Amino acid sequence: MKEEKLPFALIAIDLCLLKIINNELCVFLTDVNKDSLYQGLKCLPGGLVRLDESAEDTLKRIIVQKGLLKMDKIYTEQLYTFSDIKRDKRGRVVSCAFLGLYSGLSEEGFIPIGKIKKLAYDHSLILKTGLERLKTKIEYTTIIKKLFSNNFTFSELQKVYEIILGKEIDKRNFRKKIDSLNILEETKDKRKEGRMRPASLYKFKTKNIETLNILG
Amino acid sequence: MKEEKLPFALIAIDLCLLKIINNELCVFLTDVNKDSLYQGLKCLPGGLVRLDESAEDTLKRIIVQKGLLKMDKIYTEQLYTFSDIKRDKRGRVVSCAFLGLYSGLSEEGFIPIGKIKKLAYDHSLILKTGLERLKTKIEYTTIIKKLFSNNFTFSELQKVYEIILGKEIDKRNFRKKIDSLNILEETKDKRKEGRMRPASLYKFKTKNIETLNILG
DNA sequence: CCAAAAGTGTTGAAATTACACCCATGG
DNA sequence: CCATGGGTGTAATTTCAACACTTTTGG
């Protein structure tokens, strides 16, 4: 691409991919290109939308390109389109951003939210927007299921709610509420760990995200 | 613009502008350009995003260009970005669509939703998406206020909820609920019409949209 | 028997639903 | 006095919030 200005903006996608690791909310980051004006900074994975691709196609391509991540372990939804003129110092790029939740096992590339300082471009804003979306949506949908691959204990589920919402939840009321929603299935397995009483393992009954009042 | 293919997609905005007229939900439509492949069809207002504009800037410009509508009577929020390769037969255009609510008095250009058959491009899809967003959001925010300019009676407010939700609401429970939310202010005026008992007129206390459980 | 997390019930308050009649006005 | 929409209350049910102790296990 030459350095002259194009008559119109380019379109890119960026992905805010979240995952829980060790009781911390993490986001997948990569390094910016070497020749970039954002030297040394990290950024969300992304790329330009080609002529023969929808934004969703581009998203899939980027996910595959970044390797490591198997598509069926990633849930994505459109987040917001960022079009500020100066959002990318290199030139005019409009970004159609996606929120993603990763339920795979790989932890490579994921950085705890709390440890992130400054990101390239406007990616701090995209991250903030993604976190808000997740926080809002776990209150009225079962989107949280996209963060789990294996079966899980009630405590683990509760912990993830607490991490995302940033507040503690009463154990008894939580169990009562989730029970009443009828979205979980008890498996026959139990989790034994250390010298604790084994906990029953659960899984979500369906794969699709339902809308209902989860917490309130 | 020449007829050769550009290396990248163009970016446009489209506006799904809604308004209630005579107890019907209506959307603002214009005619497609004469030389278009969508001859004779109506479409949502929109236009290309220029190099020196954010999508929001373009939105403002288009609203002004379409005349008639004073900006302070329009509330807008980003709706969804449509990027299907074939969404516009004329060429590759990605549209950042906005939802708008119009509280002005002009009724010019607004067509009742029920009377709309086929729209140009993918604008039927954008309209559908906009209607869904409105329907969802009036349940947990005070976004409905953006459809009112003048003061209104309780019945009028209830009617708008009923139109958008497509279901009837109990008069007493509705009043109780809205009262308890403390978002309305009673004015000293009353509406006299025909030989009915005059109804008290209300207005919203604030202009900004609050998040809370409106209907349940 | 000790440490650690698992699991379980009750009560009071608040919110939600269902439901029917009288009021004020103009013609 | 009649037609029209405006305006009001109560009881039953459901949901929510607060709160503490017993159980199971491994070491």
Side-chain angles (χ1 to χ4, degrees):
Chain A
M1 197 190 323
K2 280 183 292 181
E3 271 303 316
E4 64 181 294
K5 280 193 181 174
L6 289 161
F8 296 102
L10 298 176
I11 305 171
I13 66 97
D14 286 300
L15 173 62
C16 175
L17 185 61
L18 304 175
K19 173 180 168 63
I20 304 274
I21 301 173
N22 295 332
N23 289 337
E24 280 188 298
L25 192 52
C26 302
V27 62
F28 185 90
L29 296 179
T30 52
D31 294 313
V32 296
N33 290 336
K34 287 180 216 128
D35 59 349
S36 164
L37 291 170
Y38 295 90
Q39 266 288 14
L41 293 178
K42 295 259 184 192
C43 66
L44 302 173
L48 292 178
V49 175
R50 294 179 184 158
L51 247 195
D52 60 347
E53 287 178 332
S54 66
E56 288 73 15
D57 293 334
T58 311
L59 177 66
K60 273 183 214 155
R61 178 169 56 78
I62 299 293
I63 288 172
V64 173
Q65 256 177 31
K66 291 287 163 186
L68 313 170
L69 313 174
K70 293 174 206 150
M71 260 309 271
D72 67 324
K73 300 291 190 185
I74 300 188
Y75 162 80
T76 57
E77 66 178 41
Q78 205 179 292
L79 178 59
Y80 200 80
T81 295
F82 296 86
S83 65
D84 194 272
I85 303 174
K86 296 175 179 165
R87 59 174 294 280
D88 188 333
K89 287 183 204 165
R90 300 168 306 174
R92 189 68 205 287
V93 183
V94 169
S95 170
C96 180
F98 287 81
L99 171 65
L101 301 181
Y102 183 55
S103 60
L105 297 177
S106 166
E107 300 186 354
E108 202 179 324
F110 285 94
I111 315 277
I113 301 293
K115 287 189 186 143
I116 294 167
K117 291 185 194 80
K118 196 183 162 160
L119 296 178
Y121 322 114
D122 61 348
H123 287 193
S124 296
L125 176 59
I126 299 180
L127 173 58
K128 181 164 162 271
T129 308
L131 294 173
E132 278 167 11
R133 170 75 63 88
L134 178 60
K135 197 165 167 174
T136 311
K137 265 197 134 167
I138 62 167
E139 297 252 22
Y140 69 95
T141 73
T142 56
I143 194 174
I144 204 171
K145 71 174 65 170
K146 300 299 184 180
L147 286 170
F148 290 91
S149 53
N150 297 329
N151 302 340
F152 48 87
T153 67
F154 245 99
S155 311
E156 284 166 350
L157 181 62
Q158 177 174 343
K159 194 75 196 172
V160 174
Y161 273 104
E162 289 178 336
I163 290 164
I164 294 169
L165 294 175
K167 68 177 182 193
E168 295 200 342
I169 302 171
D170 180 87
K171 193 162 58 151
R172 283 159 295 185
N173 293 340
F174 179 76
R175 195 177 274 257
K176 227 182 305 175
K177 181 74 197 192
I178 299 292
D179 273 345
S180 78
L181 294 172
N182 216 31
I183 52 179
L184 293 190
E185 205 172 320
E186 193 168 356
T187 69
K188 280 168 291 186
D189 299 324
K190 288 189 187 299
R191 165 148 317 157
K192 291 189 203 179
E193 214 170 338
R195 48 184 170 172
M196 286 100 58
R197 173 176 177 177
S200 287
L201 289 171
Y202 295 83
K203 62 178 179 184
F204 286 95
K205 282 183 179 170
T206 68
K207 285 195 99 176
N208 43 307
I209 297 176
E210 292 114 7
T211 301
L212 27 82
N213 254 42
I214 306 286
L215 299 173
Chain B
M1 196 192 325
K2 282 183 291 183
E3 271 302 317
E4 65 180 293
K5 282 193 179 174
L6 291 161
F8 296 103
L10 298 177
I11 305 171
I13 66 96
D14 287 301
L15 173 62
C16 175
L17 185 61
L18 303 174
K19 172 181 169 60
I20 304 275
I21 302 173
N22 296 331
N23 288 337
E24 280 188 297
L25 192 53
C26 302
V27 62
F28 185 90
L29 297 179
T30 53
D31 294 314
V32 296
N33 290 336
K34 287 180 216 127
D35 60 347
S36 163
L37 290 169
Y38 295 90
Q39 265 287 12
L41 293 177
K42 296 259 184 193
C43 67
L44 302 173
L48 292 178
V49 175
R50 294 179 186 158
L51 247 196
D52 60 347
E53 288 177 332
S54 67
E56 288 73 16
D57 293 334
T58 310
L59 177 66
K60 274 183 214 155
R61 178 168 57 78
I62 299 293
I63 288 172
V64 173
Q65 256 176 32
K66 291 286 163 188
L68 313 170
L69 312 174
K70 292 174 207 147
M71 260 309 271
D72 67 326
K73 299 291 188 185
I74 299 187
Y75 161 80
T76 57
E77 66 177 44
Q78 205 179 292
L79 179 59
Y80 200 80
T81 295
F82 296 86
S83 64
D84 193 273
I85 302 173
K86 296 175 180 166
R87 59 173 296 277
D88 188 334
K89 287 182 203 166
R90 300 169 304 176
R92 190 68 205 288
V93 183
V94 169
S95 171
C96 180
F98 287 80
L99 170 65
L101 301 181
Y102 182 56
S103 60
L105 296 176
S106 166
E107 300 186 354
E108 203 178 323
F110 285 94
I111 316 276
I113 301 293
K115 287 188 184 143
I116 295 167
K117 292 184 193 82
K118 197 182 160 158
L119 297 178
Y121 321 114
D122 61 348
H123 287 193
S124 297
L125 176 60
I126 298 180
L127 173 58
K128 180 165 163 273
T129 308
L131 294 173
E132 278 166 11
R133 169 75 63 89
L134 178 60
K135 196 166 169 175
T136 312
K137 265 196 134 166
I138 63 167
E139 298 250 23
Y140 69 93
T141 73
T142 57
I143 194 174
I144 205 170
K145 71 174 64 169
K146 299 299 184 180
L147 286 169
F148 291 91
S149 52
N150 297 328
N151 301 339
F152 49 86
T153 67
F154 244 99
S155 312
E156 285 166 351
L157 181 62
Q158 179 175 341
K159 193 75 195 174
V160 174
Y161 273 105
E162 290 178 336
I163 291 165
I164 294 170
L165 293 175
K167 69 178 181 191
E168 296 198 343
I169 303 171
D170 180 88
K171 196 161 54 152
R172 283 161 295 188
N173 292 340
F174 178 75
R175 196 176 273 259
K176 222 183 309 175
K177 181 74 197 193
I178 300 293
D179 274 345
S180 79
L181 293 173
N182 216 31
I183 52 179
L184 294 190
E185 204 171 321
E186 194 169 355
T187 70
K188 282 168 288 184
D189 300 325
K190 288 190 187 297
R191 166 149 315 158
K192 292 189 201 179
E193 213 171 338
R195 47 184 172 173
M196 283 101 60
R197 171 177 177 177
S200 288
L201 290 171
Y202 295 82
K203 62 178 180 182
F204 286 93
K205 282 184 180 170
T206 67
K207 286 194 98 175
N208 44 306
I209 297 176
E210 291 114 7
T211 299
L212 27 83
N213 254 42
I214 306 287
L215 299 174

